[in-house]
Amino acid sequence: MTVTQTVVREIETELVVRSAEQEADGVVALTLSRPDAGDLPDWTPGAHIDLVLDDGLVRQYSLCGRSGDAASWRIAVLRAPESRGGSLRVHELKAGSVVCVRGPRNHFPVAASRRYLFIAGGIGITPLLAMINAVDAAGAEWELHYGGRQRKSMAFTAELARFGDRVRIVPEDERGLLDLDALLGRPRADTLVYACGPEGLLSAVEERCASWPPGSLHVERFAARPAESVGAESSFEVVLQHSGTTVEVPPGRSVFDAVREAGVSVLGSCLEGICGTCETEVVDGEVDHRDSVLSDAERDANDVMMICVSRCKGPRLTLAL
């Protein structure tokens, strides 16, 4: 079945928190809308938005409402005391609070398929919820396996109940961990796998999907994947095609920082290679991809790069900046 994709128009604006509801233990669901109740841009399942919080703190959260709802956007945020403070700020927002928002942006879109296997861990249910609504409406076959530490900490279980036995809720304290060997041990040529959750889960899913047909697995990370050993870094030049400037990027300095220091405006958010905000078109040169956004096929295409973390494999890179 075909899942319709919509061209996404990004905005930067202030939105009002219409409701802030406790969705599960440690998880708050916020509904955001325009102050004038006007329409918001269309978005596609898998999209996220940036919340620009106090002191310029920016965090990304998946849209988990229905993509056809132009009146409001919904996000759900896990309170993570050990984090750098973004989730704690979000949990302080109340109905009537005003927050600056950028987006929507989608680096985790749903590809057309006859059958889908969704695997969620904890708050990783958020992007998958919108996907499930879309593929179900399109008439595709699908199933969701949703793991979490405790049932009471797992968001949207009541909302998912309407799908019956297509959804398997697996609280670890009741049923143990998700049985990934049973789910992924046999490659299926007609099935796409979408997974989101903590790094341990995603690494285990990737390992088991290594024998699946290329392009079967799609994952989204909330934190950068563990860094691979890349050896000593070398300096290289970046040619900025549109501005006519050439900048040098020394070891230990990102392309993003070097370009900004040269006076060229570029947009960034996480600066860890996970949100996709700084995606930049590559005109020439071979990229040393170090992000957690692009698929293997997208990396091989060498068309774009995340300039906050990725580098150049050679002496020179030309970017459409």
Side-chain angles (χ1 to χ4, degrees), residues 1-4 110-116 134-141:
M1 301 298 289
T2 299
V3 179
T4 301
V110 184
S113 180
R114 176 186 173 189
R115 184 176 290 112
Y116 299 87
V135 302
D136 187 72
E141 297 179 36

Side-chain angles (χ1 to χ4, degrees), residues 66-86:
R66 291 187 176 274
S67 55
D69 180 8
S72 64
W73 287 341
R74 183 176 67 170
I75 60 173
V77 181
L78 172 67
R79 191 176 191 271
E82 72 282 1
S83 71
R84 292 173 294 172

Side-chain angles (χ1 to χ4, degrees), residues 6-12 41-52 58-63 73 101-109 127 220 267-270 274-279 293 306:
T6 305
V7 175
V8 175
R9 174 175 62 87
E10 291 190 31
I11 61 170
E12 180 169 353
D42 290 333
W43 58 277
T44 52
H48 68 265
I49 57 174
D50 297 343
L51 293 193
V52 184
V58 181
R59 291 293 181 267
Q60 295 75 42
Y61 299 106
S62 298
L63 291 169
W73 287 341
V101 175
R102 291 198 302 244
R105 189 178 304 112
N106 198 343
H107 288 279
F108 193 40
E220 182 171 65
L267 189 62
S269 183
C270 72
I274 57 175
C275 73
T277 306
C278 68
E279 179 180 303
V293 178
M306 306 303 156

